[in-house]
Amino acid sequence: MKEKTNNKSTPVALLPIGVFLVLYLGLGITFEYIMKIPMGFYNIPIVAAFMAAILVACLQNRELGFEDKLSVMAEGIGDKNIITMILIFLTAGAFVGVVGRSSAESVAYFMLSLIPARYAVAVLFVVACFVSTAMGTSVGTITLLVPIGVAVSQASGFSLPLCVGSVMGGAMFGDNLSFISDTTIAACNGQGCEMKDKFRENFHIALPAAIVSLIVILLLSSRAELAGAVSQEYHLLKILPYVLVLLGGILGINVFLVLLVGIFSGAVIMLATGSLTAMELIVNLGTGISGMFETSMVAILVAAMCGLIRVYGGFEALLSMIRRVFHGNKGGQLGVGILVALVDIATANNTVAIVMANPIAKEMAGEYEISPRKTASLLDTFSCISQGIIPYGAQMLVAISAVNELGHEISAFQIIPNLFYPYLLLLSSLIFIFVIRDKK
C-alpha cells in the first residue's frame, strides 16, 4: 500500500476543491441570480457536488491503486474527531427539534414585556444573542425572531431594516459562541480542543463587539418616534431548557450530558404544558435529527476528500502559497481567518467552510505555532463574519423571505448597512490578533 503522504508540493492535487467550488458556486449563482429561483443556493444538492469532487480525486494519481485510495478515505473518515462531530450534530438537532419554536418566542416576548418600548430594538438584539447561543443555530433564530422584529417595527415605528439587521447580528453572535452550534462543533473537533476553551477564547473577542453593537443600536433607536409597543402571551417555563444548556456549556460540563439534560427537560415541559402531544414530540425529535443528516454527510465526504488531497501533496502546495504571503504567528492567524472566510464566501455555508478549512488550518497551526483553541476560534469567528454579511447566505435569504411572507418588501442591500455586529466582530478580531498580546 502506498498511501504515505506526499511531502512534495503538488498544486494539481487541489483540483477536487476547485471542482466542488465551480459546481456549487456556479450553479448557485445561476439558480439565484440568473434563473431567479428563491433560495437558489440551497436548492443545490451539496452532497452531490462533494461526490463529484471525490470522483475527480479518485481519478487522480494513478500511482495509488483504487483499493489504497479507499483505505486513505476510510482513515480520514474514521478519525475520532469526525465521529464525535457527527454524534454532537445529531444530538444538537434532537434538542432543537424537542424545544421548538414556542420556547424562543417566549424568550422574546418575555423580554419585550419587561423593557420599555424605546429599547425594543435593543431587546431584539439581546434576545437574538441569547436564543442563538442556546439553540446553536443562526438560521433558526432568524426564522423565529424576524417576524417578531417585523411586529416591533410596525407597532413602534422603528426602521424595518434596523430591526431585521439587529436580529441577524444577534443570531451570528450565538452562531459563533454556542456550545451546540454546528460551527463550534466542527471547529473544536477539527482542531482537537475543548469547547469550553474555545468559548473562553472567543468570548473576549465577541463580547466587546456585541456591547458596541448594542450601544450603536440604542443610539439609532433614540432618534425614532414611537407609535406603540408589542404585547403577546408567553410561557416562562419554556425558557428553562435553553438556560440549562447555556449554563451547562459555560460550566464546562460534557456537551453530550448538557444536551441530554436539555432534551429531557424540554420534553417534560412541552408535555406538561400541553404544547405538544407525545406523538408530536417524537415526530419533532426525528425532524430535528434528520435536519442534521446533510451536515453530517458533508463532514464525512470532506474528511474522505481531504485524506486523498493530503496524500497527493495538495496541502503542501497550499501551505507553500500561504508561507509566501503570511509570516510569523500573527500573520498565520490572519491567514487562517482569510482562508476560512474565502471558503465561506465561495460556499455560502459557514459549517461547510470550517469543515473544508479544518485540515489545512491544522497544518497552518503547526507551521505558525497557533494553539488549537485559538485556531478553532479564528475558524468560527471569521466564517461567521463573512456568513453574516454575504447577500446570498442562508441567514440573509431566510430573513428576506420571512419579511416578504408577512407582506412587506426588503432587500439584502437595505439590511447590510444595519449589520453592525459582523463588522465590529471583524474589528475586534483584528485588534485581538495584532494589538492584544497572547497570554502564555
Side-chain angles (χ1 to χ4, degrees), residues 157-437:
F158 287 116
S159 160
L160 180 57
L162 176 63
C163 292
V164 175
S166 298
V167 169
M168 289 183 64
M172 296 315 298
F173 174 88
D175 199 311
N176 182 211
L177 278 182
S178 175
F179 289 87
I180 60 172
S181 167
D182 44 7
T183 57
T184 296
I185 296 164
C188 290
N189 283 281
Q191 299 305 313
C193 74
E194 294 288 333
M195 291 189 187
K196 61 181 179 181
D197 292 332
K198 181 260 182 188
F199 176 85
R200 289 166 185 159
E201 191 78 39
N202 252 29
F203 188 72
H204 296 103
I205 300 170
L207 184 62
I211 290 172
V212 177
S213 299
L214 184 60
I215 292 169
V216 172
I217 291 168
L218 286 170
L219 289 174
L220 291 174
S221 300
S222 65
R223 302 174 184 175
E225 294 184 10
L226 296 185
V230 177
S231 179
Q232 186 79 21
E233 291 184 4
Y234 57 87
H235 206 300
L236 202 54
L237 190 60
K238 293 179 182 178
I239 302 172
L240 184 60
Y242 289 148
V243 174
L244 292 175
V245 168
L246 196 56
L247 289 178
I250 292 171
L251 294 173
I253 300 171
N254 180 278
V255 65
F256 286 111
L257 181 59
V258 169
L259 286 169
L260 289 174
V261 169
I263 291 168
F264 178 76
S265 61
V268 170
I269 289 169
M270 289 298 172
L271 292 172
T273 57
S275 300
L276 294 173
T277 65
M279 182 55 69
E280 288 172 335
L281 184 68
I282 293 170
V283 170
N284 288 355
L285 180 72
T287 302
I289 293 172
S290 63
M292 289 293 190
F293 284 176
E294 185 176 74
T295 303
S296 301
M297 185 55 66
V298 165
I300 291 170
L301 294 176
V302 169
M305 182 179 73
C306 287
L308 289 175
I309 292 172
R310 181 186 287 108
V311 167
Y312 295 169
F315 284 177
E316 186 59 35
L318 192 56
L319 286 170
S320 296
M321 291 185 280
I322 289 169
R323 288 186 197 109
R324 289 196 290 268
V325 179
F326 301 101
H327 305 283
N329 176 268
K330 292 185 181 298
Q333 290 182 48
L334 180 62
V336 170
I338 292 175
L339 169 71
V340 74
L342 290 175
V343 177
D344 179 72
I345 290 168
T347 60
N349 187 312
N350 47 346
T351 306
V352 173
I354 291 171
V355 171
M356 288 183 68
N358 253 331
I360 305 165
K362 199 162 188 176
E363 299 279 351
M364 291 177 66
E367 180 85 18
Y368 292 97
E369 298 182 346
I370 309 170
S371 68
R373 69 180 188 177
K374 172 72 78 175
T375 310
S377 173
L378 290 167
L379 287 170
D380 204 346
T381 301
F382 276 84
S383 67
C384 283
I385 290 167
S386 54
Q387 185 68 25
I389 297 170
I390 54 175
Y392 51 87
Q395 288 77 3
M396 184 70 75
L397 296 176
V398 166
I400 292 170
S401 176
V403 173
N404 291 343
E405 285 177 7
L406 294 170
H408 300 270
E409 289 188 5
I410 195 169
S411 73
F413 299 100
Q414 288 176 291
I415 299 171
I416 287 172
N418 294 281
L419 295 171
F420 310 116
Y421 177 73
Y423 304 134
L424 289 165
L425 183 61
L426 174 60
L427 177 62
S428 182
S429 299
L430 294 175
I431 290 171
F432 268 80
I433 290 174
F434 292 106
V435 179
I436 306 297
R437 191 172 181 177

Side-chain angles (χ1 to χ4, degrees), residues 103-155:
S103 296
E105 291 176 343
S106 291
V107 175
Y109 289 123
F110 170 63
M111 290 288 289
L112 286 168
S113 70
L114 293 179
I115 309 295
R118 168 65 60 189
Y119 308 111
V121 183
V123 168
L124 282 174
F125 176 74
V126 172
V127 169
C129 289
F130 173 82
V131 170
S132 58
T133 305
M135 288 180 66
T137 165
S138 55
V139 173
T141 301
I142 290 166
T143 302
L144 296 173
L145 297 185
V146 162
I148 298 174
V150 173
V152 167
S153 175
Q154 281 185 299

